[in-house]
Amino acid sequence: MALVKIENIKKTFSGIEVLKGISFSLDAGKQYVIRGPSGSGKSTLFYLLGGLDRPTSGNIFIDGLNLYAMNDDELANFRNQFVGFVFQFHFLLSSMNCLDNILLPAKIGNHNILEVEKFALSNAQILGVEHCLKKFPYELSGGEQQRINVIRALSLRPKLILCDEPTGSLDSKNSQIVVGLLKEMAAKYASTLVVVTHDDYIASQFQNHFALNDGQLMK
Amino acid sequence: MFNILKSIGKLIYKDKVSLKFALGVLFGLGFSIAVILCTIGIMDGFSITLKRGLKKSSADIILFSHTGFFKYDQNLKNIFSSLNVGETGPAIKTQGFLTAGEVAKGVEVNGIELESFNKTTGMHLNIARDEIAIGTVLAKQLNLKSGDLLSLALPKGNQSFSSLPLIKEFKVGEIIDHGIYQKNLRLVYLQLPILQTLLGVDDSINLIYLNHAKSKNSSLESPIYAKRVKNLRILLHRELGEEYRIRPYWAEFASLLEVVEIEKLIIGLILQMVVVISIFNVLAFVIFINEKKAKELFLYKALGLSQKRLIKVWFWVILSIWAAGSLLSILLVKIFNYMLQSFSLFLLPGDIYHLGRLNIILGYTEYTLVFGLTLAWLFIVSWLAIIRLKKSLLANLRREFS
């Protein structure tokens, strides 16, 4: 069953068409990789899928909802409830400790903090970073930071996990660990996992592939 | 909202540069508000201190006869009691020359009934029949102290122009402070019967001090009190006609008080510019944080913070700066007032300003007005910045995440 349905998406920046009419669908609970070289439009597609930007034309349906028929408030709520983001540069706030970073989506969406904290603690034990929770991000290694980032992305048990170059700043050993964890956790919570990368090795870890080139989807 | 505000607050104060900027903005706003408050407070302080000084040696209303001396008869007393008049104090006011050693000064001689004068005014005079009370400035200028002898030269009333001035010797009984330089320089007090005898006017007087029946427990600054005095004056005028001149206690300085009131309004308006300038600093701070912490703020957005809620957060931040700036301004006003009261640098030449020192007096109305206007300016001007923030968010979003 399709969780995400993309219909003829186009995106133009200053007269340059970055996405040139893309259509595809993603099934619920499956894991996908979107490959492509720099400038192919994969990051733009990532932000459109995550409701962070609006397309110039076309529609994206997620769980039957037309994403861009929503107003800003509804879209923000959608991002909070429905999507877990994992960014390339970890994107942990240095002003707060790791636990507070993990709890941030729960605080923004007014969720039950205690419940999320319990969930975060159990995942931190699974990912081997429970000792990091009271530490600040700058006290952690790159691999540990990315694992905290993964826990935060999963904290509200989203239906869709979007990862933008999740291993881009990690060495190969940590890259393998993080990709492995992402796949494992997504499978555990039946979330649809979409990883955007230009790394062929990371891409090879996934069965379902989409390739982007010059704003077009390559079969 | 509180959780988000707290975590965005952490973003600001955990960053040294942002914190320094925030403190600078806060101090700038606090100082600007304090400048307005001090200016208004000094003007209010001037008016109120002057009025207090005037009231100290006077009653609510002073009644003079256009025809000179008159008798305080039962008819007048009946009129007063029918018009809600409280205490009354018959008195004589005349001109004279006071000589001590080789120095002479023109003075205003007041013949008073001690008991009724002390009741109607804020004075506590206690002089014997052969004593005179003089003001502090006069005592200083003539180098007089209690117990010293001086001579008072008085005209012999209107009875005979051919009469020579009457010169009588008195002992300095009290040296008093009216709170107003001019009064301390010019006013002297004798017992009424003594002055009546000297002037040869029998039991006649030329003025009566009157208080409103309810004035005893009223605050001088209360508008109700001022209204009561004005109303009583109108009623007295209506009842007594043109024969008497009826003046409120502030009449002597009425034009000056009016000018100060108008100046207060005009300067208050002009000084709004100071606040507006400091508000631009607040906006600069908002824009600076928006740029410097763009990544962090966009993370909040990515994690589900809507544009509306982000704007609300900014308004709360602005409101917090306003609240802290207002509190800081109160502290700065207190410090400045302490300096005004304590340092000789801030002493005023009393012959020019009537008062020796300025005092900042501010009521709730002034605080509410200044804080309220600052808040209004803050919201009006910050709205423009917030709109700019809204427009730039999507562009920054692409820039930061690409």
Side-chain angles (χ1 to χ4, degrees):
Chain A
M1 186 195 156
L3 179 79
V4 180
K5 202 174 166 195
I6 293 168
E7 291 179 349
N8 198 26
I9 283 289
K10 289 181 182 174
K11 181 70 185 177
T12 306
F13 292 116
S14 315
I16 300 164
E17 204 169 39
V18 178
L19 293 178
K20 299 170 180 172
I22 289 171
S23 300
F24 63 92
S25 58
L26 305 171
D27 287 343
K30 289 197 172 174
Q31 300 178 352
Y32 299 88
V33 70
I34 299 174
R35 286 188 298 123
S38 291
S40 59
K42 57 185 189 306
S43 285
T44 303
L45 181 61
F46 174 86
Y47 300 122
L48 290 173
L49 271 173
L52 289 163
D53 202 355
R54 288 177 184 272
T56 311
S57 66
N59 288 312
I60 296 178
F61 293 92
I62 296 183
D63 212 17
L65 297 167
N66 186 350
L67 214 58
Y68 295 105
M70 294 178 185
N71 63 29
D72 277 348
D73 277 355
E74 288 165 341
L75 209 52
N77 197 38
F78 158 81
R79 287 197 296 270
N80 182 259
Q81 310 268 348
F82 215 93
V83 189
F85 289 101
V86 178
F87 298 105
Q88 180 177 0
F89 295 106
H90 324 310
F91 259 137
L92 297 173
L93 296 177
S94 59
S95 57
M96 53 180 77
N97 67 29
C98 291
L99 181 61
D100 284 337
N101 265 289
I102 291 169
L103 296 178
L104 196 56
K107 285 177 181 172
I108 289 171
N110 293 323
H111 297 270
N112 186 330
I113 303 290
L114 283 177
E115 202 178 287
V116 177
E117 194 174 335
K118 209 170 142 189
F119 178 76
L121 196 66
S122 78
N123 275 337
Q125 279 165 350
I126 293 166
L127 299 187
V129 285
E130 71 271 28
H131 63 286
C132 302
L133 293 179
K134 293 288 172 189
K135 289 182 179 174
F136 284 85
Y138 54 80
E139 297 176 286
L140 272 54
S141 70
E144 285 171 328
Q145 285 188 42
Q146 196 58 302
R147 271 178 267 182
I148 296 293
N149 202 0
V150 170
I151 298 171
R152 184 178 65 195
L154 291 165
S155 65
L156 299 181
R157 287 172 238 195
K159 284 189 177 176
L160 180 63
I161 302 169
L162 292 173
C163 310
D164 185 19
E165 303 280 9
T167 59
S169 56
L170 300 178
D171 56 35
S172 59
K173 187 186 164 196
N174 271 310
S175 295
Q176 278 185 21
I177 294 170
V178 167
V179 170
L181 288 172
L182 271 170
K183 291 180 73 175
E184 192 186 323
M185 300 304 279
K188 187 177 175 189
Y189 296 108
S191 303
T192 303
L193 175 68
V194 180
V195 174
V196 173
T197 185
H198 69 280
D199 187 325
D200 288 341
Y201 176 74
I202 299 299
S204 69
Q205 313 281 307
F206 292 83
Q207 283 185 337
N208 303 305
H209 288 229
F210 289 101
L212 263 180
N213 198 8
D214 196 23
Q216 287 175 314
L217 205 60
M218 311 300 286
K219 300 278 178 186
Chain B
M1 180 56 76
F2 178 71
N3 278 329
I4 305 301
L5 193 63
K6 199 173 142 190
S7 82
I8 289 183
K10 270 188 186 175
L11 268 184
I12 296 169
Y13 73 72
K14 289 222 169 175
D15 178 80
K16 273 187 181 173
V17 178
S18 307
L19 183 65
K20 280 179 190 169
F21 196 164
L23 290 175
V25 164
L26 184 64
F27 189 79
L29 185 67
F31 189 78
S32 306
I33 300 173
V35 167
I36 299 185
L37 285 174
C38 285
T39 310
I40 292 174
I42 281 175
M43 291 191 167
D44 272 351
F46 180 83
S47 302
I48 291 167
T49 314
L50 191 62
K51 278 187 175 177
R52 279 179 189 161
L54 289 168
K55 181 72 175 69
K56 193 177 173 185
S57 56
S58 178
D60 293 343
I61 283 172
I62 309 160
L63 183 142
F64 301 90
S65 167
H66 281 301
T67 54
F69 285 89
F70 62 97
K71 303 269 187 204
Y72 186 25
D73 55 20
Q74 195 55 45
N75 182 37
L76 269 178
K77 285 176 186 169
N78 290 343
I79 291 172
F80 292 160
S81 64
S82 71
L83 294 180
N84 237 349
V85 172
E87 296 103 356
T88 60
I92 292 177
K93 199 182 276 283
T94 186
Q95 306 294 318
F97 271 99
L98 197 144
T99 316
E102 292 186 356
V103 189
K105 282 271 174 194
V107 291
E108 188 180 281
V109 184
N110 290 273
I112 52 160
E113 269 185 11
L114 286 176
E115 198 186 337
S116 65
F117 183 74
N118 287 343
K119 265 187 187 171
T120 50
T121 67
M123 304 285 273
H124 304 285
L125 285 179
N126 188 16
I127 44 173
R129 291 175 66 86
D130 60 340
E131 287 179 339
I132 189 168
I134 62 170
T136 49
V137 176
L138 186 63
K140 201 175 170 188
Q141 288 194 359
L142 297 180
N143 200 20
L144 289 167
K145 54 186 185 304
S146 285
D148 286 353
L149 289 174
L150 53 79
S151 300
L152 182 66
L154 292 164
K156 187 87 170 143
N158 292 330
Q159 290 170 339
S160 168
F161 288 108
S162 59
S163 299
L164 288 170
L166 182 87
I167 297 172
K168 170 92 174 145
E169 198 167 68
F170 286 95
K171 197 165 73 179
V172 176
E174 270 187 60
I175 294 170
I176 48 175
D177 181 17
H178 297 87
I180 294 176
Y181 179 90
Q182 299 293 351
K183 291 203 170 199
N184 286 340
L185 175 67
R186 295 266 293 145
L187 299 195
V188 299
Y189 300 88
L190 302 175
Q191 283 201 20
L192 180 63
I194 305 296
L195 191 58
Q196 281 170 329
T197 310
L198 287 171
L199 295 174
V201 293
D202 300 326
D203 58 347
S204 294
I205 53 170
N206 65 4
L207 69 97
I208 303 174
Y209 292 109
L210 306 168
N211 272 345
H212 190 281
K214 289 181 182 169
S215 81
K216 214 164 195 175
N217 301 319
S218 301
S219 157
L220 212 58
E221 288 81 52
S222 151
I224 298 167
Y225 168 72
K227 202 176 170 187
R228 263 186 210 145
V229 174
K230 282 176 188 168
N231 284 344
L232 179 60
R233 185 179 168 231
I234 293 166
L235 289 174
L236 282 166
H237 186 74
R238 204 175 288 161
E239 201 66 36
L240 297 170
E242 294 302 320
E243 195 183 337
Y244 293 93
R245 196 151 49 99
I246 302 149
R247 297 167 61 186
Y249 68 91
W250 64 81
E252 216 176 321
F253 288 91
S255 331
L256 180 63
L257 290 168
E258 207 174 316
V259 166
V260 169
E261 202 57 34
I262 293 166
E263 264 189 43
K264 186 179 92 175
L265 180 74
I266 292 168
I267 292 179
L269 288 173
I270 292 168
L271 286 179
Q272 288 296 311
M273 290 312 295
V274 180
V275 165
V276 172
I277 290 165
S278 70
I279 285 169
F280 279 114
N281 287 338
V282 178
L283 298 187
F285 172 71
V286 170
I287 293 165
F288 169 80
I289 294 296
N290 189 48
E291 295 289 329
K292 190 167 190 279
K293 299 287 174 189
K295 269 190 178 180
E296 288 83 349
L297 291 176
F298 294 130
L299 179 68
Y300 278 89
K301 275 196 66 111
L303 297 181
L305 187 68
S306 68
Q307 186 64 36
K308 258 188 203 166
R309 285 177 74 198
L310 187 60
I311 286 172
K312 268 188 197 168
V313 167
W314 277 125
F315 275 120
W316 276 107
V317 169
I318 289 168
L319 203 64
S320 311
I321 293 173
W322 167 80
S326 299
L327 288 175
L328 180 66
S329 71
I330 294 173
L331 181 72
L332 290 172
V333 168
K334 301 269 177 215
I335 292 171
F336 187 57
N337 198 28
Y338 173 78
M339 285 161 67
L340 279 180
Q341 299 304 304
S342 313
F343 298 156
S344 56
L345 178 73
F346 295 107
L347 272 173
L348 290 179
D351 49 344
I352 298 168
Y353 292 100
H354 308 291
L355 305 174
R357 275 196 187 276
L358 289 173
N359 188 17
I360 296 174
I361 298 176
L362 288 160
Y364 290 115
T365 317
E366 282 77 22
Y367 279 118
T368 312
L369 202 69
V370 173
F371 293 158
L373 275 174
T374 307
L375 187 62
W377 275 117
L378 203 56
F379 275 113
I380 290 166
V381 183
S382 61
W383 191 250
L384 300 171
I386 299 292
I387 288 169
R388 184 197 171 281
L389 200 75
K390 197 176 175 182
K391 279 181 183 167
S392 67
L393 271 174
L394 270 178
N396 285 346
L397 193 70
R398 288 184 202 108
R399 192 184 71 205
E400 290 301 328
F401 280 82
S402 57

